[in-house]
Amino acid sequence: MAAIDAVLFDLDGTLVEYERSTGQLLDLAFESAGVDPFFEVEAYLDRYNDHLGPDTSVAEGRADCFAAIADERGRDPDLGRRVAEAFADERDHARVELLPGARETVDALAEDHAVGVVTNGPPEMQTTKLAAAGLADRFETVVFAGHDCSAKPDPEPFEVALSDLDAAADRAVHVGNSLSSDVAGAHAAGLRSTWVPAEAGVEPRPEPHHAVPSLADLAEPPWR
């Protein structure tokens, strides 16, 4: 098996997470909008990606998502849009924190690998998170999938990152917490995958090449 020259990272849930969870913000949004809660956070997370696109902002996609959920549940879609507006007012993309081992792992791997980020999300939002987490200058390339190119798990964002790094797919690995976008996308692009589970006990499908409990465990990379 070829040696690894390049390491790509997912951002949300892999390197950083919001200080306040999506569920907490949704509760605040219902309260602020003066609307009785009519859906749980799981409904939002399940449907959110259905309303995103290259020409759709995060706020627009969320508003469309909340309106669609409201309509499906017999509510006025405008109620959903009011809640989405309140949610946007509460969300601060600078209020993120590094996950354990993130900075140390990136710095250690950067000593003998080219490193980059492939993240689903608009440039302004994701750049704010990288800066707030102190990671803005740590990577040789950042690809905003779904905006610069197709969203993960499409292979295109991985191919763009590898081109920027002048690296070959069979000599690269992608590190992420999502089986459906990170692991599946890496495999579609011909990269090896390293999965950092968001929770224990999840059956990995598709099966990653490597799985580690936390980023700190990559101090000794499993691909060596």
Side-chain angles (χ1 to χ4, degrees):
M1 188 175 286
I4 294 296
D5 298 326
V7 182
L8 305 179
F9 290 89
D10 171 52
L11 180 59
D12 296 298
T14 299
L15 295 175
V16 304
E17 65 180 1
Y18 283 111
E19 293 175 1
R20 297 183 295 178
S21 72
T22 303
Q24 289 173 322
L25 286 182
L26 183 58
D27 290 342
L28 287 171
F30 277 120
E31 181 179 349
S32 177
V35 175
D36 290 334
F38 59 88
F39 65 90
E40 302 294 331
V41 67
E42 289 78 13
Y44 166 39
L45 298 177
D46 287 344
R47 298 287 305 279
Y48 176 56
N49 286 337
D50 296 341
H51 298 274
L52 292 183
D55 299 319
T56 303
S57 71
V58 170
E60 291 169 341
R62 184 187 300 115
D64 290 343
C65 178
F66 285 15
I69 294 172
D71 188 48
E72 290 169 0
R73 301 193 177 191
R75 302 294 190 98
D76 185 342
D78 284 342
L79 279 181
R81 295 187 182 280
R82 277 172 51 195
V83 176
E85 184 176 352
F87 188 104
D89 289 342
E90 291 287 348
R91 175 62 89 197
D92 181 351
H93 299 302
R95 292 187 62 176
V96 296
E97 53 192 11
L98 283 165
L99 286 165
R103 181 180 287 111
E104 295 81 1
T105 295
V106 171
D107 288 347
L109 291 175
E111 292 179 4
D112 53 5
H113 299 79
V115 293
V117 166
V118 177
T119 174
N120 282 351
E124 182 178 358
M125 180 176 79
Q126 302 303 74
T127 298
T128 297
K129 294 175 189 175
L130 285 167
L135 297 175
D137 61 349
R138 292 302 206 274
F139 300 101
E140 296 166 59
T141 185
V142 179
V143 177
F144 304 101
H147 292 264
D148 293 344
C149 54
S150 300
K152 296 182 292 185
D154 192 281
E156 185 182 13
F158 301 95
E159 294 165 353
V160 170
L162 293 178
S163 178
D164 290 345
L165 298 175
D166 194 23
D170 65 351
R171 298 179 68 90
V173 63
H174 179 68
V175 180
N177 70 313
S178 170
L179 292 165
S180 60
S181 64
D182 294 311
V183 174
H187 293 181
L191 287 77
R192 275 181 261 175
S193 59
T194 295
W195 180 49
V196 187
E199 56 184 289
V202 175
E203 184 71 18
R205 292 289 183 273
E207 185 174 352
H209 293 92
H210 313 285
V212 293
S214 72
L215 281 179
D217 293 282
L218 291 180
E220 292 295 331
W223 52 82
R224 280 187 178 148

